[in-house]
Amino acid sequence: MTDGEPRIGIVGSGIAGLRAANAILKCKVDARIVIFGDETHRTYNRPGLTKKRYPVSDALEMTIAEDLKVNGAENNALTWRLGTKIETADLRNRVLRLSTGETFEYDRLVIAAGVRPRTSAEGNRECAFHTHRTLRDLGDAQYMHNQLQTSEKVTIVGAGFVACELASLAKDYGCEVLMLEALRCGPFESVLGKRISIALGRWVVQNGVTFLTGDSARELLCDRTVVSARDVSASEASNLESPSDRSLFVEAIGSVPNVEWLRGNGLDLSDGVRVDEHMRVSQCEDVFAAGDIARYPDPWMAGNHTRMEFWKNAIDTGDLAGRSLASSLGYDAKISQIGYFPSIATEVFGLRIQVAGNPKISDSMEIICGDLDQLDHGVLVAFLREGVTVGAAYMDKGARLNSTYIALLKSLKAR
Ligand SMILES: Cc1cc2nc3c(=O)[nH]c(=O)nc-3n(C[C@H](O)[C@H](O)[C@H](O)COP(=O)(O)OP(=O)(O)OC[C@H]3O[C@@H](n4cnc5c(N)ncnc54)[C@H](O)[C@@H]3O)c2cc1C
């Protein structure tokens, strides 16, 4: 222990880190808590970045309590070190090395460093034809909203949640949208399977997007190999006078956990940070992890570990990590396990898509109501494994089947 009150370091100023701090404060732990964040601003509503109604330009003026409904962020026991990256961690000696050259000794540590977008060879840069971008933080979103207001054309690589929400947003701004999905048949295929994915692909097209898959998509992917294969001539490139002449090319092709700073400590970092059911890092009594970066025992698939990237998961695992940490310091904290069915909701061209449970582990699906050719009229799908319902999806422009969906959720069974 350091002298005096314990020092708690939280790496990551996103929702998981903030909720961990909040839980520690709620347990009345007498400690100094420092939240380190490499972004220059405090926690904001990350899912809001692709939502039309979220005030991206005013986000920094809002208090956390207004934006995220989290009180306690102004507590005197809490210090924010923003614009400060943790470069390395020595978990054996409990020391963090900061980008400022300073060190920070802790008694307890919470790892809540999230993920970053996966990128192709181009990354975030200009090429002869495009301005390549990814979308993860407020700066990216502000840039994107500004660009979409003036761009005529945007190309989006990928067909996951971020890609589809961005396509909707771009259309709302009046852009011409091209979506490229080289690996799958349509949106959300890895979660909802081929049939629904193809139906969602049709929905996207009906809403004015040019949606290409397979080889047609691959041909238009812009990475170094493809560009050089096309043999771009110098005169072709010089016809584009400035980066603003280049069309926007956004990659939304998944994410990578921010674990590099933890290397050299013997942790299992194969897919995020592995923790136990209380969010304690395996083999490290005084270190906890939460949010997108944490890989915890899957409550619904015994023997598996799972890493989830959604808001409620970051909230719940952040709370749990904070309570487990408080308990490790001898405070009375109710420790539980993550035990709910995951659920995600999104809206794509006015179609609300709700997914619950774990469709990925199903071996069959059953359309309970509706028709996949008319998603906007309401379609409810159950996902089964060996006859047991393990997941559900509901797509609708209204809420016609809401009560049937809720009844279906009640029948979900863990395995
Ligand atoms: C555009 C977009 C839309 C989304 N929409 C939805 C949605 O509709 N519904 C939903 O459920 N989920 C959505 N999500 C996912 C959701 O936002 C995440 O699951 C959630 O924000 C994860 O929170 P987190 O605190 O674990 O990580 P983050 O929010 O990523 O926070 C981690 C923080 O740690 C910082 N950091 C990383 N490494 C270091 C370091 N070494 N030192 C210091 N700081 C570091 C990062 O910069 C970041 O600020 C969306 C995500 C994006 C990007």
Side-chain angles (χ1 to χ4, degrees), residues 367 369-372 374-375 377-381 393-396 401:
I367 298 175
C369 310
D371 176 349
L372 286 178
Q374 293 187 311
L375 293 176
H377 292 194
V379 179
L380 187 57
V381 180
Y394 175 32
M395 289 148 282
D396 202 346
L401 306 175

Side-chain angles (χ1 to χ4, degrees), residues 11-18 36-39 41 44-51 81 84-87 112-116 135-137 161-162 165 258 261 290-293 308-315 317 343-346:
V11 181
S13 55
I15 189 67
L18 176 61
F36 297 95
D38 60 1
E39 292 187 59
H41 21 259
Y44 52 85
N45 183 345
R46 203 176 293 281
L49 302 183
T50 37
K51 313 293 183 287
R81 291 289 310 265
T84 308
K85 184 174 183 182
I86 301 303
E87 298 290 355
V115 297
R116 62 179 180 276
L135 173 54
R136 179 73 192 174
D137 65 26
F161 287 91
V162 172
E165 288 183 1
N258 290 318
W261 59 282
D292 284 6
I293 200 171
M308 304 268 181
E309 292 182 20
F310 64 94
W311 189 249
K312 186 171 185 314
N313 175 68
I315 289 178
T317 55
S343 64
I344 326 171
T346 184

Side-chain angles (χ1 to χ4, degrees), residues 234-314:
S235 63
E236 232 180 319
S238 65
N239 282 340
L240 299 159
E241 283 172 359
S242 72
S244 59
D245 295 326
R246 298 176 174 122
S247 75
L248 188 58
F249 193 95
V250 186
E251 292 178 348
I253 51 174
S255 53
V256 183
N258 290 318
V259 294
E260 290 73 10
W261 59 282
L262 288 160
R263 286 205 179 120
N265 288 291
L267 300 184
D268 174 359
L269 302 174
S270 50
D271 177 26
V273 178
R274 189 182 164 114
V275 293
D276 69 12
E277 66 275 30
H278 304 306
M279 301 291 137
R280 191 190 288 258
V281 173
S282 318
Q283 302 135 23
C284 283
E285 286 294 293
D286 42 19
V287 185
F288 301 81
D292 284 6
I293 200 171
R295 185 159 51 97
Y296 57 87
D298 189 337
W300 305 103
M301 224 15 204
N304 272 18
H305 270 64
T306 183
R307 196 171 62 71
M308 304 268 181
E309 292 182 20
F310 64 94
W311 189 249
K312 186 171 185 314
N313 175 68

Side-chain angles (χ1 to χ4, degrees), residues 158-171:
F161 287 91
V162 172
C164 288
E165 288 183 1
L166 191 61
S168 277
L169 193 66
K171 269 286 170 196

